Amino acid sequence: MAAVDDLKFQEFDDAANLLAVNPDATTISVDEPSENPKTQHGLLQDTGREEDDELLGTDDSDKTELLAGQKKSAPFWTFEYYQTFFDVDTYQVLDRIKGSVFPVPGKNFVRLYIRSNPDLYGPFWICATLVFAIAISGNLSNFFIHLGKPTFHYVPEFRKVSIAATTIYAYAWLVPLALWGFLMWRNSKVMNIVSYSFLEIVCVYGYSLFIYIPTAILWIIPQKAVRWVLVMFALCLSGSVLVMTFWPAVRDDNRRIALATIATIVLLHALLAVGCLAYFFDAPELDVLTTTASAQNGTALVTKTQ
Amino acid sequence: MAAAEGSGAGGAAKPLFAGLSDVSISEDIPVEGEITVPVGSRSPDEDYSTLDEPVRDTIMRDLKAVGKKFVHVMYPKKSSALLRDWDLWGPLVLCVSLALMLQGGSADSKEDGGPQFAEVFVIIWFGAVVITLNSKLLGGTISFFQSLCVLGYCVLPLTVAMLVCRLVLLAGSGTVSFIVRLIVVMAMFAWSTLASTAFLADSQPPNRKALVIYPIFLFYFVISWMILTFTAQ
């Protein structure tokens, strides 16, 4: 056992040999970062890029986790805990709304505007405004469409407000929950660089619904073509914000799963718009003869069901 | 103390604290103070002992307080009466009367379409609670019930608008009556929003005022919509 040999750097692979030589020697094992079990399951081929990205990813998520931890330090049963979700100023809310309506190509809404300060003010009040905008616009548009008919009796249709509220709040809370769960599950299988917290996803979805408020008001115009053009336009704007936000989170995954996730996000967003249009806004009828005929049929149906 | 103990321990014959009686406060240091426990002023007790007064006085006092607040809402000035001496009688009376007036009169018709009594009640109270929570979460310094009080009292102009609308609808329901109703409701909506903003705006942090005022605007807008779309059967 030469002293020089002890000082020389020993390769890790020689440990088995060394132990074989001297089984009673004490051994210390040090965990190296590249031995992280997650990377063994990773599909990334390039280990160099993987380590770099991993460092970037852990740095970023560590920083955001630290920041988040510093902010939400109050226990959840105190009022101060919930105040941390409303820690925004007027100009911040307006900036976020602007960012959701005018998507900047290449910029991530979450990283650019939210920056680990997700708020619940925007999602909650945008959803509330959207509920009433859809209900009121639907009522107004139906009023104008059926205005000249002799059998028309105006009703405020207040029931539809509760239906609208249920639909929109369910969309704004359940879809982010499902998406967050899905992303967490994929995160455990594939090392993703970017991961969002639940509140950030709720925030993105809430602000992305803002474009539907002017759209709902413009849906009063009783032209089918105009309405569908508006749907397409709104969907393009807010859909692109969602896509640009969530693409970095799924891009490292299996190609088909990533595309399926993005497609589902856009599809659900479109479904909300089309569903609201179909349910709350009656189809505008262009022909006068068909309007009187359908009005009589409508009253006949109503009397029959009654 | 240690010296006394030491002397006590050292000289066992001497009693403890023997030297203490030699300690005296020199007389040129004035010793002052009150030993008597201050009795709480009895005047609030005497003023608020309301057991012996006639019932009419009690009721009239509360009614006058509510009436004074109504006047403060109709002529909003920076007064602290609404905030300091809050009460929820006024909002309750206004909410119930508004909900009653919004009844179409045909409660048996399912396709009536108008809001039911419970719906109006819940919208007003739940809306006021949500707005109060919102302003408190954003850092407002107003208390919960004070904010409820202000929001409830500022429904008064809209209740007046509802009364006017019902009277106008008795006269007829054509376009002219609609335009009159529209103007009245819009004016009262603006009055309500401005009155509540005048009372509530000061207690909000300065860079979040718009965030607090917008929900109030939405709240009164929804109530105005319910009033405007009221159709008599």
Side-chain angles (χ1 to χ4, degrees), chain B residues 98 102 155 157-159 161-163 165 169 181 185 222-231:
Chain B
L98 187 62
L102 274 171
V155 173
L158 287 171
T159 312
M162 183 73 225
L163 205 59
C165 280
L169 275 174
R181 281 185 291 141
V185 169
V222 169
I223 299 181
S224 316
W225 174 257
M226 286 198 292
I227 293 175
L228 189 59
T229 60
F230 171 76
T231 51

Side-chain angles (χ1 to χ4, degrees), chain A:
Chain A
M1 206 115 53
V4 182
D5 274 348
D6 285 338
L7 291 175
K8 224 167 61 164
F9 175 69
Q10 301 277 0
E11 289 295 329
F12 187 75
D13 291 331
D14 290 339
N17 299 337
L18 285 174
L19 272 179
V21 165
N22 190 354
D24 295 330
T26 53
T27 54
I28 301 172
S29 62
V30 176
D31 272 340
E32 296 178 14
S34 58
E35 289 295 301
N36 194 345
K38 275 193 190 171
T39 60
Q40 292 172 1
H41 296 137
L43 299 174
L44 297 171
Q45 307 300 324
D46 188 1
T47 52
R49 174 181 165 241
E50 169 190 329
E51 277 173 16
D52 282 344
D53 286 344
E54 190 187 317
L55 286 172
L56 278 176
T58 48
D59 267 358
D60 208 350
S61 59
D62 272 351
K63 198 164 45 161
T64 49
E65 273 170 25
L66 270 176
L67 282 176
Q70 279 168 3
K71 277 180 14 130
K72 300 167 178 42
S73 55
F76 68 91
W77 56 83
T78 58
F79 194 67
E80 283 72 29
Y81 175 75
Y82 297 103
Q83 266 184 323
T84 57
F85 300 137
F86 283 77
D87 194 16
V88 278
D89 291 337
T90 308
Y91 75 92
Q92 280 176 315
V93 173
L94 291 175
D95 273 346
R96 290 175 188 192
I97 291 178
K98 211 167 45 158
S100 78
V101 173
F102 302 120
V104 179
K107 294 267 178 64
N108 193 339
F109 179 76
V110 174
R111 289 286 169 259
L112 190 60
Y113 289 106
I114 298 191
R115 290 181 208 257
S116 74
N117 183 20
D119 71 306
L120 286 180
Y121 177 89
F124 183 77
W125 287 110
I126 289 177
C127 288
T129 311
L130 185 60
V131 164
F132 289 114
I134 286 187
I136 292 178
S137 304
N139 202 240
L140 267 181
S141 119
N142 291 350
F143 173 71
F144 285 132
I145 287 177
H146 301 295
L147 187 50
K149 299 177 195 158
T151 54
F152 172 65
H153 177 69
Y154 170 74
V155 285
E157 286 178 325
F158 212 70
R159 295 279 171 284
K160 296 202 167 173
V161 173
S162 31
I163 297 173
T166 314
T167 314
I168 289 172
Y169 274 102
Y171 176 81
W173 285 90
L174 293 182
V175 171
L177 186 66
L179 187 61
W180 175 74
F182 177 75
L183 287 178
M184 284 291 119
W185 175 58
R186 293 311 297 178
N187 234 356
S188 68
K189 294 214 164 161
V190 174
M191 184 60 192
N192 277 327
I193 304 169
V194 176
S195 68
Y196 299 123
S197 74
F198 173 60
L199 280 171
E200 287 172 347
I201 300 183
V202 167
C203 216
V204 172
Y205 263 87
Y207 280 104
S208 75
L209 284 176
F210 177 80
I211 188 70
Y212 287 140
I213 297 177
T215 309
I217 296 177
L218 286 175
W219 275 342
I220 297 179
I221 302 173
Q223 298 292 328
K224 247 190 176 150
V226 171
R227 287 181 178 177
W228 281 100
V229 163
L230 285 168
V231 169
M232 289 296 131
F233 188 61
L235 196 57
C236 283
L237 279 183
S238 60
S240 63
V241 170
L242 286 177
V243 165
M244 281 196 289
T245 304
F246 289 109
W247 179 245
V250 292
R251 120 185 112 200
D252 303 319
D253 204 341
N254 188 0
R255 197 83 189 166
R256 277 187 301 175
I257 294 186
L259 287 176
T261 311
I262 299 292
T264 313
I265 292 176
V266 175
L267 193 66
L268 283 174
H269 211 60
L271 207 61
L272 179 77
V274 171
C276 284
L277 179 60
Y279 184 72
F280 292 100
F281 293 82
D282 288 347
E285 291 130 344
L286 307 166
D287 203 353
V288 177
L289 287 174
T290 50
T291 52
T292 46
S294 60
Q296 287 167 2
N297 285 342
T299 45
L301 272 172
V302 167
T303 47
K304 240 197 265 181
T305 52
Q306 278 181 350

